[in-house]
Amino acid sequence: MIETRNVTVRFGGLTAVNNVSIKLFPNKINSLIGPNGAGKTTFFNAISGVNSPNEGEILFKGEHIEKRKGYQICEAGISRTYQIINLFWDMTVLENVLVGMTTKLKSNFWQSLIRTKKQREEEENAYKLAMEYLSFVGLEGEANRKASELSYGGQRLLEIVRAMATGAELLLLDEPAAGMNSTEKKELDLLLKKILDRGITILLVEHDMKLVMNVSDYIFVMANGALLAEGKPEDVQNNQEVIDAYLGGED
């Protein structure tokens, strides 16, 4: 689904991502782990169009996307969340989901202005679908509350479901468990598996190793901007280079 070839991202004299090549296969939960400063979020940014790579190629379902803008990548079928929750705080929960759905709506400015029958039908269908998305994550009862009024865990769920509402085939989730309590993390574990059951592929950046090992089909490990290791959870867990990167070697 995603293939990166020698992706490199530099900021001035700093190389944040160095020659990283990975392949993501569909209908899997893939995780990207590594110590703080390993380059994980910068790599996410390169895939999602926040930062274009200085070198290398990024292919989504065989098509080059490394030169595309973020909104074009979203329209192609890739959506993401952020380390720091990034919602429209003064809008309702339902409106936040509807924003995510705009990439798939067909009505143009004039149709919306004069409220044509086609536009009204599309809007009604969008509301129904948005409520279905909220029901999927258990937020249907919060639809008319402001996003700012949700609990922290609810806000995390809303950001995930807004990303899903774009019609994404690939979700990039940047530390979705950050700040969650143990109960919320268990719910997130179940949610990720439910998302996978809907045919959506996931690439997850996460520091909670218990969650990563529970949900992942395949894991990539970055350190110092480069790919250190990859494999199934049990292989990565027992890789001495990975252990050293997280805990430090004998020195």
Side-chain angles (χ1 to χ4, degrees), residues 10-109:
R10 299 187 186 91
F11 300 104
L14 172 67
T15 301
V17 175
N18 187 14
N19 203 36
V20 174
S21 299
I22 69 168
K23 289 183 180 181
L24 296 188
F25 293 96
N27 303 317
K28 303 287 184 185
I29 298 179
N30 308 271
S31 289
L32 180 62
I33 65 172
N36 287 328
K40 304 181 298 297
T41 294
T42 303
F43 186 61
F44 253 38
N45 289 344
I47 294 175
S48 61
V50 176
N51 301 117
S52 296
N54 297 91
E55 298 171 14
E57 301 172 310
I58 303 173
L59 289 84
F60 177 55
K61 298 192 299 183
E63 294 189 7
H64 285 271
I65 62 170
E66 66 270 10
K67 300 297 184 184
R68 294 189 189 181
K69 304 291 186 183
Y71 74 90
Q72 294 170 323
I73 291 172
C74 181
E75 289 172 349
I78 300 174
S79 193
R80 66 166 297 174
T81 64
Y82 294 83
Q83 276 180 293
I84 299 173
I85 298 173
N86 194 4
L87 296 170
F88 297 102
W89 300 109
D90 290 331
M91 295 171 66
T92 67
V93 170
L94 178 61
E95 287 168 343
N96 268 272
V97 178
L98 288 169
V99 167
M101 296 174 65
T102 56
T103 58
K104 302 301 179 185
L105 300 181
K106 305 298 183 184
S107 297
N108 60 34
F109 172 78

Side-chain angles (χ1 to χ4, degrees), residues 79-244:
S79 193
R80 66 166 297 174
T81 64
Y82 294 83
Q83 276 180 293
I84 299 173
I85 298 173
N86 194 4
L87 296 170
F88 297 102
W89 300 109
D90 290 331
M91 295 171 66
T92 67
V93 170
L94 178 61
E95 287 168 343
N96 268 272
V97 178
L98 288 169
V99 167
M101 296 174 65
T102 56
T103 58
K104 302 301 179 185
L105 300 181
K106 305 298 183 184
S107 297
N108 60 34
F109 172 78
W110 294 109
Q111 290 171 319
S112 299
L113 183 66
I114 63 177
R115 301 281 290 163
T116 64
K117 180 181 178 182
K118 180 180 178 181
Q119 189 275 335
R120 293 197 306 273
E121 289 176 349
E122 185 177 57
E123 188 176 271
E124 289 172 7
N125 291 333
Y127 272 88
K128 289 178 183 177
L129 184 56
M131 287 302 298
E132 289 176 11
Y133 276 118
L134 289 175
S135 179
F136 179 72
V137 295
L139 289 177
E140 67 274 19
E142 313 289 345
N144 294 315
R145 295 181 66 189
K146 285 187 177 182
S148 58
E149 297 173 351
L150 290 179
S151 67
Y152 181 85
Q155 291 170 358
R156 283 284 182 193
L157 293 179
L158 178 56
E159 193 173 39
I160 291 172
V161 79
R162 184 183 60 183
M164 291 176 60
T166 64
E169 297 176 62
L170 172 64
L171 278 182
L172 309 179
L173 304 180
D174 197 352
E175 297 193 34
M180 285 187 170
N181 60 40
S182 57
T183 300
E184 290 168 337
K185 287 179 181 179
K186 289 178 182 178
E187 293 171 351
L188 177 63
D189 183 315
L190 294 174
L191 176 62
L192 295 177
K193 293 169 182 174
K194 284 172 59 181
I195 292 172
L196 189 67
D197 289 340
R198 292 174 70 112
I200 300 172
T201 303
I202 296 172
L203 178 57
L204 173 73
V205 165
E206 186 53 64
H207 284 290
D208 188 311
M209 286 301 101
K210 183 177 180 181
L211 176 67
V212 167
M213 295 300 166
N214 280 344
V215 303
S216 301
D217 296 299
Y218 202 80
I219 297 175
F220 300 93
V221 187
M222 286 184 68
N224 299 316
L227 189 65
L228 178 67
E230 62 178 280
K232 294 181 179 180
E234 58 270 22
D235 298 327
V236 168
Q237 200 168 20
N238 295 310
N239 186 306
Q240 189 60 47
E241 286 186 299
V242 175
I243 295 170
D244 289 344

